[in-house]
Amino acid sequence: MLDISIPSSRTGSAVIVVALLCLSLAVGTGAATGGSDLFVTISDTTVSDDDPETGDTITITPTIRHSSASEGGFRITEVVVTASTGETFSSVDNLGTIGAGESIDVPLRATFDTAGEKHLTITVRGVQTNSSGAVEVIDTIDYPVYVSVSEPTSDDPEPAPQLDIDADTAVANTAVPVNVTVSNGGDSDLSDLSVRLNAVNESLDTETRLKPTLAAGNLTTFSFEIQPAAAGNLTLRAVLDAEAETVETTRSIPVRELRSELAVDATVLTEVRGESPALQGGDESDTTFH
């Protein structure tokens, strides 16, 4: 009997399970009880992954069936799956006895280190007994399985979110607005966004900004306000925390001192009727920043 099973496959690779077996376990002359023919087969085999890659572990499950109409049984002593090189992937033993019309599924695992067409063999070893438990036939059943293994696909990684700090020149002890823009250039939404703004090696009193979701291909801006304590260069750092993502960026800005200057604007008035020229004062409260 020829039993050929071809599971569904993906483009470029396939797993083909070919069953070529129907082994007749005939009762030997002089040992028969009633002269009936006895048959044990591997009637079906399933493969858990029809497109495995190197490093994947698949499960191959043969169905061992006893089709005899007699009252005898088949005691399974071992089931093993091996490669064409002789390497054993997995094996189980002493699975008990299946009676007439009964079957048993035996899961076996295999992991492949290299790509290519793999020729595997499932081997069942057992003992045929009659209704009294006496041994009638000791035999081995081989069942071929072919698996096509491919190399892992290298998908382009999802681009990380981008941060940009927008800040002008700051003045010491003066409130300065700072905007932080988050861009999501990936194909998936970002969830649970948290943006912090601080300074490197300096303390800034800022708050954390939150946003539940940023859709793929979109951007959003978070507004902050800082007040540097002293003049010099200030390095700002923005940190984004999102689900499975942490990104940060920095930007340095100059901080200038706050300076006040008193300026006197004087104008000489024209002499009138013999009076002495008069001095008129201007605005004395001009303030400038440097």
Side-chain angles (χ1 to χ4, degrees), residues 5-89:
S5 174
I6 304 179
S8 63
S9 61
R10 300 177 189 172
T11 303
S13 62
V15 174
I16 303 177
V17 179
V18 180
L20 180 57
L21 180 65
C22 181
L23 180 62
S24 173
L25 300 182
V27 177
T29 304
T33 56
S36 63
D37 291 333
L38 307 176
F39 299 91
V40 173
T41 62
I42 298 178
S43 62
D44 189 22
T45 294
T46 60
V47 181
S48 62
D49 187 356
D50 64 355
D51 188 15
E53 297 178 348
T54 56
D56 290 346
T57 298
I58 65 173
T59 301
I60 304 169
T61 306
T63 299
I64 304 169
R65 184 177 302 278
H66 190 311
S67 60
S68 172
S70 73
E71 297 180 357
F74 184 73
R75 178 162 52 88
I76 304 171
T77 57
E78 184 182 34
V79 181
V80 59
V81 57
T82 57
S84 57
T85 59
E87 175 190 1
T88 297
F89 288 109

Side-chain angles (χ1 to χ4, degrees), residues 156-162 183-188 190 217 245 247:
D156 294 333
E158 185 91 354
Q162 299 295 312
S183 304
N184 179 16
D187 297 327
S188 303
L190 290 176
E245 292 282 0
V247 181

Side-chain angles (χ1 to χ4, degrees), residues 229-249:
N233 285 324
L234 177 67
T235 301
L236 297 173
R237 175 172 54 203
V239 180
L240 166 68
D241 284 317
E243 185 179 7
E245 292 282 0
T246 298
V247 181
E248 70 174 64
T249 190

Side-chain angles (χ1 to χ4, degrees), residues 6-212:
I6 304 179
S8 63
S9 61
R10 300 177 189 172
T11 303
S13 62
V15 174
I16 303 177
V17 179
V18 180
L20 180 57
L21 180 65
C22 181
L23 180 62
S24 173
L25 300 182
V27 177
T29 304
T33 56
S36 63
D37 291 333
L38 307 176
F39 299 91
V40 173
T41 62
I42 298 178
S43 62
D44 189 22
T45 294
T46 60
V47 181
S48 62
D49 187 356
D50 64 355
D51 188 15
E53 297 178 348
T54 56
D56 290 346
T57 298
I58 65 173
T59 301
I60 304 169
T61 306
T63 299
I64 304 169
R65 184 177 302 278
H66 190 311
S67 60
S68 172
S70 73
E71 297 180 357
F74 184 73
R75 178 162 52 88
I76 304 171
T77 57
E78 184 182 34
V79 181
V80 59
V81 57
T82 57
S84 57
T85 59
E87 175 190 1
T88 297
F89 288 109
S90 62
S91 65
V92 291
D93 53 19
N94 298 322
L95 294 176
T97 300
I98 53 175
E102 296 180 343
S103 64
I104 184 173
D105 293 335
V106 184
L108 303 164
R109 292 187 176 184
T111 304
F112 307 100
D113 297 328
T114 59
E117 299 297 324
K118 306 299 179 180
H119 178 191
L120 311 180
T121 300
I122 298 173
T123 299
V124 178
R125 298 182 178 92
V127 176
Q128 183 73 50
T129 61
N130 59 24
S131 59
S132 301
V135 175
E136 295 187 334
V137 176
I138 300 174
D139 220 319
T140 299
I141 307 169
D142 289 328
Y143 188 98
V145 176
Y146 298 90
V147 178
S148 181
V149 182
S150 59
E151 293 287 353
T153 56
S154 55
D155 298 329
D156 294 333
E158 185 91 354
Q162 299 295 312
L163 289 177
D164 180 67
I165 300 174
D166 181 16
D168 295 327
T169 300
V171 177
N173 298 308
T174 303
V176 179
V178 176
N179 291 326
V180 177
T181 300
V182 180
S183 304
N184 179 16
D187 297 327
S188 303
D189 295 351
L190 290 176
S191 302
D192 302 326
L193 283 74
S194 170
V195 176
R196 304 187 307 275
L197 180 68
N198 53 32
V200 178
N201 299 325
E202 186 172 334
S203 176
L204 283 180
D205 185 15
T206 61
E207 297 179 352
T208 299
R209 301 289 187 255
L210 303 175
K211 186 178 180 65

